[in-house]
Amino acid sequence: VRDAIARGHAVLCANPAHTALQPCIVGRAFSTRINANIGRSSACSSLPEEIRKMEVALKAGADFLMDLSVGEDLAAIRRGLIARCPVPFGTVPFYEALSRTQGRIADLTPQLFLDVIRDQAEQGVDFMTLHAGLLRAHVDIALRRKLGIVSRGGSILAEWMVLNDTENPLYTRWDDIMALCVRHDVTVSLGDGLRPGCLAD
């Protein structure tokens, strides 16, 4: 296990602030891991409902839990889930950043992305999906595909880059993001912001 981690062939998702965690290793030489997605919408759900979803996912054998919540009170919901979650807990910080602007893509800023990543890391998030590989140069090419950009995070980020005619801040501020992740031992999952939506793509 130590050798696989040292060689970069495996990761141990374990933020020290996630005190309820039973750490789990991920890597090619280890068992396949099952990730379950939960999360409140902007219109409904609450902490008790999200806890129930988590319990159902864990009972079904989920090895990881991904919180894709949007809307209000995200920090409170996340803290409540992390306090009870025995498996690695992940997020897509971009979703919370957008929630903090009430869905206004034009109001997103590079500093807001960093603030959300820092806040979530401090709360105990073990892994984060970051769409750092989607660059401004890719957007026009991707929009020529039959189904365009089907990733929610990828499409919102692409719109932000076009509106601001600037590069992806998750790419340009990567060193700052890594410093935060190292400080809190957060594992990065690189988001597939340009995954194809159909065979033609």
Side-chain angles (χ1 to χ4, degrees), residues 1-13 24-31 33 187:
V1 170
R2 288 176 177 170
D3 182 62
I5 292 174
R7 287 186 292 133
H9 294 172
V11 292
L12 187 67
C13 297
C24 180
I25 194 163
V26 182
R28 187 174 296 170
F30 304 95
S31 299
R33 306 300 182 187
T187 299

Side-chain angles (χ1 to χ4, degrees), residues 9-199:
H9 294 172
V11 292
L12 187 67
C13 297
N15 183 331
H18 186 177
T19 56
L21 177 66
Q22 298 169 16
C24 180
I25 194 163
V26 182
R28 187 174 296 170
F30 304 95
S31 299
T32 298
R33 306 300 182 187
I34 305 300
N35 178 59
N37 292 340
I38 65 169
R40 77 179 300 276
S41 74
S42 57
C44 64
S45 191
S46 61
L47 177 57
E49 290 174 274
E50 294 308 311
I51 290 172
R52 177 62 184 144
K53 291 178 191 177
M54 178 178 70
E55 291 171 344
V56 169
L58 294 174
K59 185 176 180 181
D63 300 295
F64 284 69
L65 194 74
M66 192 79 170
D67 175 26
L68 304 180
S69 292
V70 295
E72 300 177 353
D73 301 321
L74 298 184
I77 290 174
R78 188 178 309 109
R79 278 194 298 269
L81 289 170
I82 290 173
R84 296 166 175 83
C85 186
V87 300
F89 188 95
T91 61
V92 181
F94 195 78
Y95 293 171
E96 180 173 351
L98 189 60
S99 290
R100 289 189 186 185
T101 68
Q102 287 75 50
R104 294 186 298 270
I105 294 174
D107 291 347
L108 292 167
T109 66
Q111 188 58 50
L112 178 57
F113 293 136
L114 286 171
D115 290 345
V116 171
I117 291 169
R118 183 197 63 243
D119 292 348
Q120 292 190 0
E122 290 175 351
Q123 289 174 353
V125 171
D126 301 293
F127 65 101
M128 298 179 185
T129 295
L130 302 173
H131 298 83
L134 173 57
L135 304 183
R136 176 66 182 90
H138 301 150
V139 176
D140 294 337
I141 299 169
L143 292 178
R144 293 200 295 267
R145 299 192 303 187
K146 188 172 185 67
L147 286 184
I149 300 175
V150 297
S151 160
R152 179 172 185 259
S155 62
I156 296 169
L157 188 54
E159 184 174 345
W160 183 88
M161 287 189 285
V162 170
L163 282 171
N164 292 279
D165 192 24
T166 191
E167 190 55 272
N168 181 347
L170 300 178
Y171 175 80
T172 59
R173 301 293 296 273
W174 188 248
D175 289 345
D176 297 327
I177 293 168
M178 286 299 95
L180 288 169
C181 290
V182 167
R183 187 179 311 148
H184 299 281
D185 209 353
V186 173
T187 299
V188 171
S189 168
L190 294 176
D192 191 2
L194 288 177
R195 64 182 182 269
C198 64
L199 290 175

